[in-house]
Amino acid sequence: ERLGQASLDRPDGKLVWLHGASIGEGLVLLPLAVRLVERGFSALVTTGTKSSAAVVGARLPAGAFHQYIPLDAPRFVKRFLDHWRPDLAIFAESELWPNLLDETHARGAPVVLVNARMSPRSYLRWRNVPKAAHALLEKIEVAFAQSNDDAARLLRLGAPRVQIAGNLKYDVAAPPASPETVAEFSSQIGARPVWVAASTHDGEEDICFDVHLQLMKKHPALVTIVAPRDPQRGDEIVEAAKTKGLRVARRSARQRIDRTTQIYLADTFGEMGLWYRLAGIAFMGKSLPDKTRLRGGHNPIEAARLGASVLHGPSVDNFQDAYVALDGAGASAAVADGRELSARLDDLFSNVAKARAMARAGVATIEELCGATDRVMQGIEPYLVHIAMEGAR
């Protein structure tokens, strides 16, 4: 598929192609895919990674299907477009591949950019090559920007039409989990205090293990669920936990949480809906300073939507608007390091009413920020009507 060779037949009728780079970008397209299928269009959703194919592909509605995006080389792009013949292309965020964009535009399919963002750093890079930026952006019919600042930067770089729609991430449905599995794990945990360290990276697991050891002094029955961003790091995480004397069970091995389990390693893809439902408190990874300098934070919206109190480190630039909104509503809180994380967790374990108030504030905040899907669908309505009329002729 990366070479443009389709593994599925093209369905009859009108087809809308939606593309997002990885898990996050792919998930924001799901509400649009649902709405398009409801309107009678087929929806081709492409991403570029195995993890996104597994997670996004499993959540697509009937009438939508997944393929890998072709490599951005003319031969592969032409092969891909010859087969799929999209009537409309919707790219998420900042996916501006020259050959894909040029060839799609040349074939007459309108190209729309949704959840569009342009960070100050990216803007400065593009400003150094203004002709290249303009040549790409002029092929986009309309860009639906996340914010006023994103819209202004896109316009200055040459985007012909920009509308502010907000962030589609707030409209993504909560990740699923079967009630039976939730009930099974809830039974295993019982009344023990539990928290989840979500989407952790190298260095953060060690911090979480130290936090667990500190909290055990006051909460000896504590269960810490560690859900690494890359489940394939499971073996090294287990060894790190054992080095600190902690007892570990693994989801990938279908091990249970028994009375001796201290760390539960959630080393699988596509189960964050389960862990957020089990743990009323979530720490979001990639947000604490570490030896790799890999920072920027991960998406807190799913955790907040599912009623978890959210904690995070100081580095959250990748989802700054969401964290500002949640922090401002009292639904999330920042910690500077492992010591502060331990203190915050202790406070929430000891004050159930406070934890529940944070959770309620999170649910309410996310609901208030919804609506970008409606604004995008309204904006692309003229294209959908035109496509439908062409198909009727």
Side-chain angles (χ1 to χ4, degrees):
E1 292 175 21
R2 296 308 303 268
L3 303 182
Q5 299 171 2
S7 61
L8 297 170
D9 292 333
R10 186 198 189 280
D12 294 333
K14 294 301 180 178
L15 181 143
V16 178
W17 166 32
L18 305 97
H19 172 65
S22 190
I23 293 178
E25 297 86 352
L27 288 176
V28 304
L29 294 171
L30 289 180
L32 289 174
V34 170
R35 300 280 282 275
L36 289 165
V37 168
E38 290 174 348
R39 291 283 300 273
F41 297 92
S42 295
L44 165 66
V45 179
T46 58
T47 61
T49 65
K50 289 183 177 180
S51 58
S52 62
V55 174
V56 176
R59 295 173 63 177
L60 288 174
F65 42 91
H66 179 274
Q67 296 277 280
Y68 286 101
I69 190 73
L71 297 169
D72 194 48
R75 181 173 53 162
F76 306 144
V77 169
K78 290 178 180 178
R79 184 183 294 158
F80 173 88
L81 293 173
D82 284 344
H83 178 82
W84 292 110
R85 306 187 311 279
D87 297 287
L88 173 67
I90 300 176
F91 297 165
E93 301 200 0
S94 53
E95 283 292 281
L96 301 176
W97 294 100
N99 290 300
L100 274 170
L101 194 54
D102 286 349
E103 189 65 25
T104 304
H105 179 265
R107 294 177 184 228
V111 179
V112 173
L113 192 63
V114 301
N115 232 38
R117 60 187 176 92
M118 180 64 63
S119 69
R121 182 179 299 179
S122 295
Y123 171 73
L124 291 175
R125 287 199 299 265
W126 279 112
R127 197 175 65 176
N128 290 329
V129 284
K131 290 184 179 179
H134 188 270
L136 282 176
L137 290 172
E138 70 176 356
K139 296 179 176 65
I140 295 172
E141 290 281 332
V142 57
F144 295 95
Q146 294 185 24
S147 70
N148 292 333
D149 289 341
D150 292 312
R153 296 183 193 111
L154 287 164
L155 286 168
R156 285 198 292 267
L157 289 174
R161 293 179 57 214
V162 180
Q163 298 180 29
I164 301 165
N167 197 325
L168 287 167
K169 286 184 169 67
Y170 296 111
D171 292 345
V172 178
S178 77
E180 296 79 12
T181 306
V182 174
E184 178 187 350
F185 274 89
S186 296
S187 176
Q188 293 173 24
I189 294 170
R192 299 170 66 180
V194 58
W195 65 294
V196 59
S199 298
T200 55
H201 290 255
D202 184 23
E204 288 181 320
E205 292 92 7
D206 280 339
I207 295 173
C208 292
F209 297 152
D210 290 339
V211 166
H212 183 99
L213 291 168
Q214 179 64 28
L215 287 170
M216 279 180 59
K217 299 173 184 177
K218 188 173 179 181
H219 308 278
L222 178 68
V223 176
T224 295
I225 300 172
V226 175
R229 184 67 170 180
D230 180 7
Q232 295 180 348
R233 294 180 50 240
D235 289 344
E236 68 180 76
I237 295 171
V238 168
E239 289 305 311
K242 289 182 177 179
T243 298
K244 293 181 180 288
L246 292 165
R247 293 185 291 275
V248 185
R250 298 181 70 166
R251 174 61 167 160
S252 63
R254 293 297 184 262
Q255 295 171 339
R256 293 171 52 85
I257 298 176
D258 62 27
R259 62 181 181 82
T260 69
T261 303
Q262 297 169 314
I263 305 296
Y264 193 76
L265 180 59
D267 53 344
T268 54
F269 279 117
E271 292 197 295
M272 289 311 303
L274 172 61
W275 314 127
Y276 290 142
R277 285 174 171 87
L278 290 171
I281 307 169
F283 166 75
M284 305 309 302
K286 200 181 177 182
S287 61
L288 283 175
D290 61 38
K291 60 187 178 184
T292 66
R293 298 195 177 193
L294 185 61
R295 305 177 186 176
H298 282 300
N299 186 359
I301 297 170
E302 291 181 342
R305 185 185 293 281
L306 286 171
S309 306
V310 174
L311 302 175
H312 60 88
S315 179
V316 292
D317 293 348
N318 292 345
F319 298 91
Q320 187 171 5
D321 291 347
Y323 281 106
V324 167
L326 290 169
D327 284 359
S332 64
V335 297
D337 51 29
R339 181 176 298 181
E340 284 194 16
L341 176 58
S342 179
R344 282 282 188 176
L345 287 166
D346 177 35
D347 181 39
L348 293 174
F349 287 140
S350 303
N351 191 336
V352 175
K354 183 175 183 178
R356 288 176 177 169
M358 285 184 70
R360 287 194 297 270
V363 172
T365 300
I366 299 305
E367 288 302 313
E368 289 174 4
L369 293 169
C370 290
T373 300
D374 290 336
R375 290 185 281 273
V376 170
M377 288 299 296
Q378 183 177 1
I380 66 173
E381 180 65 18
Y383 303 102
L384 299 179
V385 170
H386 177 74
I387 292 169
M389 290 176 62
E390 288 291 314
R393 291 178 182 175

